[in-house]
Every structure is written in C-alpha cells, then in structure tokens.
C-alpha cells in the first residue's frame, strides 16, 4: 500500500506530499525501535517513530509510545488495535537526532 504524508512532524526524513510504502501490522510483537508506525488518532492517521512498549498497570495490556522527529514530546500511549500499518524503519542518523534531542530536553 501507499500513503501520502500531509503533516510536517517527521521532517526532515518524511516531507509533506511524499508517498511512502506501508505494510499492514498483523503482529505487534514484531515491531522494533525505529519502525515508523501508522496509527489512528481520533479522526486521522499519524505516522511517527516507534520508541518503546509500555504495560498498562490496570489491565496488563501493551501500549506503544511513538514520537515525531519534529515533536518535543512523546505521543500518548497507543493501543495495539489502533496501529494500522508500518513503513520502513527510520535511518539510524535520524534516530540518533531524536535521541539527542530527548537527552538534551531531559
């Protein structure tokens, strides 16, 4: 499948208007740090980098933490049923940039 980038939260790696290949996610246990996830957020689809998994204390479900390259904060935890697809992993140098920005901010 193909998707068109409309926002700028993943600049400079993904640019508005750029077409990307995406693949449906059937098994969230196969997701890895740096994968670009496409997930449902209220009434839109968002494309951000997968950072880590967290466990919900109340019901023991697994949620996923993502963040856009141009965002200053992590997204709210995403339930696995809201993950629509994934794109190719983000290159290491953009991941390094994201991690450096996070380290400086903390």
């Amino acid at each position: 499948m193909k998707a068109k980038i409309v926002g700028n939260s993943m600049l400079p790696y993904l640019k508005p208007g750029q077409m990307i290949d995406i693949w449906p996610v059937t098994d969230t246990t196969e997701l890895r740090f740096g994968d670009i996830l496409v997930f449902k957020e209220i009434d839109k689809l968002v494309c951000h980098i997968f950072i880590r998994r967290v466990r919900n204390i109340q019901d023991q479900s697994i949620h996923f933490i993502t963040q856009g390259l141009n965002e200053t904060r992590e997204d709210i935890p995403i339930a696995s049923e809201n993950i629509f697809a994934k794109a190719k992993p983000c290159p290491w140098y953009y991941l390094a940039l994201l991690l450096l920005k996070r380290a400086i901010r903390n």
Side-chain angles (χ1 to χ4, degrees), residues 5 10-12 20 35 44 66 68 72 80-82 96-98:
I5 302 299
M10 288 293 289
L11 281 171
I20 60 169
D35 284 344
K44 63 183 177 179
T66 60
T72 56
S80 58
E81 59 267 15
N82 289 334
L97 175 66
L98 179 65

Side-chain angles (χ1 to χ4, degrees), residues 71-83:
E71 302 295 330
T72 56
R73 296 188 180 133
E74 296 175 344
D75 300 320
I76 60 170
I78 304 156
S80 58
E81 59 267 15
N82 289 334
I83 296 174

Side-chain angles (χ1 to χ4, degrees), residues 3-84:
K4 186 175 187 177
I5 302 299
V6 293
N8 62 3
S9 67
M10 288 293 289
L11 281 171
Y13 180 56
L14 299 176
K15 298 163 185 61
Q18 179 179 348
M19 295 294 289
I20 60 169
D21 289 316
I22 59 173
W23 298 271
V25 171
T26 56
D27 183 2
T28 57
T29 63
E30 295 180 1
L31 297 175
R32 301 289 174 250
F33 171 77
D35 284 344
I36 297 174
L37 301 184
V38 180
F39 57 92
K40 191 183 289 187
E41 184 180 87
I42 305 172
D43 60 346
K44 63 183 177 179
L45 292 176
V46 177
C47 186
H48 281 173
I49 299 170
F50 171 50
I51 304 295
R52 69 180 185 281
R53 289 174 180 81
V54 294
R55 184 176 302 274
N56 184 318
I57 296 171
Q58 296 170 339
D59 64 6
Q60 297 301 307
S61 62
I62 301 294
H63 285 70
F64 298 82
I65 304 296
T66 60
Q67 184 174 351
L69 277 175
N70 266 337
E71 302 295 330
T72 56
R73 296 188 180 133
E74 296 175 344
D75 300 320
I76 60 170
I78 304 156
S80 58
E81 59 267 15
N82 289 334
I83 296 174
F84 175 71

Side-chain angles (χ1 to χ4, degrees), residues 33 67 69 92-106:
F33 171 77
Q67 184 174 351
L69 277 175
W92 68 268
Y93 41 90
Y94 288 117
L95 293 174
L97 175 66
L98 179 65
L99 293 173
L100 182 61
K101 284 171 37 179
R102 291 166 58 98
I104 291 170
R105 191 178 65 246
N106 293 333

